Amino acid sequence: MRVNIYSESLPFIQKFRGKTIVVKYGGAAMKSESLQSSVITDLVLLSCVGLRIVLVHGGGPEINHWLTRLGIQPNFLNGLRVTDASTMEVVSMVLVGKLNKHLVSLSSTRPAPPPVRGRHRRGRPFRSPPSHREQPHPGDCVGGGGRGGAVVQHQRGHGGGGVGGGTGRGEKLILLTDVAGILEDKDDPGSLVKEIDIKGVKRMIEGGKIGGGMIPKVNCCVRSIAQGVRTASIIDGRVPHSLLLEILTDQGAGTMIIG
Ligand code: ADP
Ligand code: ARG
């Protein structure tokens, strides 16, 4: 059984080697420390077999926690954070100063080749290969795990489904969320739609079958595909190793949206 899974993964490793896979990570899937660590382990594995991983992470609950502690009321409009100047200061502090560093540190505490001597006392310096150093936004924390490296960026200021314009260069976009994927009936967890095209999702939105927090996610996928991303998947971030299942097996783990 396990051996089958290894050999099933080979064509996907060959197909996606050297390709950019953008993973958006936030919300519920980011809450638990053990899930965080399993997501990062998967990303390190994928990066080791040659995929170019860009991790775009959020941090809404942690940002709200610090805003409240500093006496600033978190403010949302249609599910999107309203980011005034003082909120922006806190958002930067939490994302750059805390969460990004934490995720990067998880990636460098994985079993890895011997550490590079000097400069860094703990873990390995998080550096991306030169080919990955493409126009990060000022303040984005860009890093990579040596061989194959990952780029870690944070979402600033907004809590919605957008991952910015940078996904146009990617092969694949993957959004981690707290449901199995797009459900035919949102109250029936067994009604997972495994694959759907853009027309199909538009029909589902018009028919009122996709609602709430799923709408910005699906729109983000549709926009990315319009910009050249080949496929966009919405998968369950609560299921350990759902990333590996989605990328490296035939069946995948969640919903794959195609053009
Ligand atoms: P996250 O916290 O991961 O950013 P959200 O809570 O914003 O995720 O969005 C996912 C939510 O969208 C689900 O928990 C579900 O309640 C809602 N939803 C609405 N329609 C659907 C659908 N057709 N399939 C799946 N989820 C849906
Ligand atoms: N692993 C393959 C890929 O990433 C297939 C994924 C299929 N996923 C799905 N949800 N139907 O291209």
Side-chain angles (χ1 to χ4, degrees):
M1 192 56 197
R2 286 195 196 163
V3 166
N4 285 348
I5 288 180
Y6 282 130
S7 58
E8 192 178 319
S9 70
L10 179 61
F12 296 116
I13 292 173
Q14 287 171 319
K15 183 173 172 195
F16 298 134
R17 269 185 87 164
K19 298 280 168 48
T20 301
I21 313 291
V22 177
V23 177
K24 187 183 161 267
Y25 181 41
M30 226 174 131
K31 273 184 207 142
S32 118
E33 182 75 20
S34 69
L35 276 179
Q36 276 186 20
S37 150
S38 112
V39 166
I40 298 293
T41 308
D42 289 356
L43 295 179
V44 171
L45 188 153
L46 292 167
S47 149
C48 284
V49 296
L51 282 65
R52 295 179 163 193
I53 302 294
V54 177
L55 174 65
V56 181
H57 68 83
E62 185 87 3
I63 290 167
N64 290 347
H65 170 78
W66 281 99
L67 284 172
T68 311
R69 275 187 78 168
L70 294 167
I72 303 169
Q73 177 68 39
N75 190 5
F76 290 87
L77 199 62
N78 301 325
L80 297 179
R81 186 186 300 281
V82 177
T83 313
D84 58 14
S86 53
T87 301
M88 190 63 212
E89 213 176 341
V90 178
V91 166
S92 292
M93 279 161 59
V94 173
L95 292 183
V96 185
K98 201 158 182 278
L99 287 174
N100 192 284
K101 284 206 171 70
H102 177 63
L103 292 172
V104 168
S105 80
L106 285 178
S107 86
S108 57
T109 52
R110 298 292 111 222
V116 178
R117 263 186 298 147
R119 294 203 299 139
H120 293 260
R121 267 187 307 128
R122 267 179 299 148
R124 298 189 306 141
F126 213 66
R127 229 176 340 108
S128 59
S131 59
H132 271 162
R133 297 198 190 114
E134 306 164 298
Q135 318 134 16
H137 301 293
D140 278 346
C141 298
V142 178
R147 290 178 308 152
V151 179
V152 182
Q153 298 191 339
H154 46 77
Q155 275 190 291
R156 292 229 253 176
H158 49 85
V163 292
T167 55
R169 292 185 302 265
E171 166 83 14
K172 198 184 251 311
L173 169 68
I174 299 196
L175 308 185
L176 292 164
T177 183
D178 60 352
V179 280
I182 297 178
L183 304 174
E184 181 61 41
D185 168 3
K186 67 175 176 295
D187 300 317
D188 175 6
S191 66
L192 178 67
V193 177
K194 301 247 16 159
E195 192 176 305
I196 188 167
D197 61 10
I198 290 184
K199 278 191 198 140
V201 289
K202 287 193 169 151
R203 227 176 286 131
M204 282 186 78
I205 294 178
E206 281 156 19
K209 285 184 167 175
I210 296 177
M214 195 48 82
I215 290 184
K217 283 188 210 314
V218 166
N219 284 336
C220 170
C221 294
V222 169
R223 250 192 346 262
S224 301
I225 291 171
Q227 288 174 23
V229 173
R230 260 183 232 266
T231 65
S233 298
I234 301 177
I235 69 172
D236 196 340
R238 301 163 308 177
V239 174
H241 307 302
S242 57
L243 267 169
L244 296 185
L245 286 173
E246 178 62 20
I247 297 173
L248 300 181
T249 69
D250 297 324
Q251 284 282 306
T255 303
M256 185 162 83
I257 304 174
I258 54 177

